[in-house]
Amino acid sequence: MAVSSGEGKTAGQEDPVRRESARQRAGEQGLLFDEQPSALPDDIGYRGPTACSAAGITYRQLDYWARTALVEPTIRAAHGSGSQRLYSFRDILVLKVVKRLLDTGVSLQQIRTAVQHLRDRGVGDLAQITLMSDGVSVYECTSADEVIDLLQGGQGVFGIALGRVWREVEGSLAELPGERAAVEDTVPADHPADELAQRRRARRIG
């Protein structure tokens, strides 16, 4: 499964009543890119329990996803007994998206592909994406028209507006403890596309 543009699912564009109904559904679900998230705090990390609380997952899920490289901490990985993982804001955003996709029946294999796609995106782009799924495939929508086309094409399609998830995570973390990343904190080498990781590496080198 590849995350693809919603354009391939267009159906019934000639039916204005159906299209207006889809537009109304999209508006009610907050899928039409009306969020304006603030900038990411790129030097603050969050420990496992905090990440779990903000993403709405169990520590067992967090640990399993880290060990299987589904969602790994990009600020600090665990190094032996007693060390603490540190997750970035972006990591927690992805954790929450994974949880929502799982809750709607999308397979872990499909989610893994979707997560890789999100990793390849710049940080700023994430807030302008709505992920849509029919439970079989995951589609990326970057315009209101794509969202509406998917909604009018199938009753079983649901959406996740990343801008809205961003706001939810931001609100949760405002009440939870974070800590500044130390100089010795290392970013896993297998996250070369993570913009935050690149910026941290550049600051240390420069």
Side-chain angles (χ1 to χ4, degrees), residues 63-183:
D63 185 59
Y64 178 71
W65 295 347
R67 287 187 290 105
T68 58
L70 177 61
V71 184
E72 296 177 278
T74 57
I75 291 183
R76 184 173 70 209
H79 299 291
S81 178
S83 64
Q84 293 278 345
R85 299 185 185 107
L86 276 185
Y87 288 82
S88 69
F89 184 100
R90 177 193 174 105
D91 298 335
I92 298 172
L93 179 75
V94 175
L95 286 169
K96 197 172 183 75
V97 170
V98 169
K99 173 65 161 54
R100 291 197 175 176
L101 289 172
L102 278 175
D103 286 348
T104 52
V106 179
S107 75
L108 207 55
Q109 181 179 0
Q110 294 167 334
I111 291 171
R112 192 174 292 277
T113 302
V115 167
Q116 184 57 54
H117 180 76
L118 293 179
R119 280 189 189 136
D120 294 340
R121 283 293 210 166
V123 172
D125 286 344
L126 291 184
Q128 304 304 318
I129 293 173
T130 292
L131 294 180
M132 306 289 288
S133 178
D134 52 12
V136 177
S137 297
V138 180
Y139 303 89
E140 173 195 339
C141 297
T142 55
S143 76
D145 284 342
E146 290 176 343
V147 171
I148 293 162
D149 289 344
L150 281 164
L151 283 175
Q152 72 170 342
Q155 294 299 316
V157 175
F158 70 92
I160 303 172
L162 268 66
R164 174 163 284 198
V165 178
W166 186 304
R167 287 288 195 194
E168 291 172 5
V169 172
E170 194 174 46
S172 297
L173 291 177
E175 307 297 326
L176 295 168
E179 58 187 81
R180 293 200 174 275
V183 175

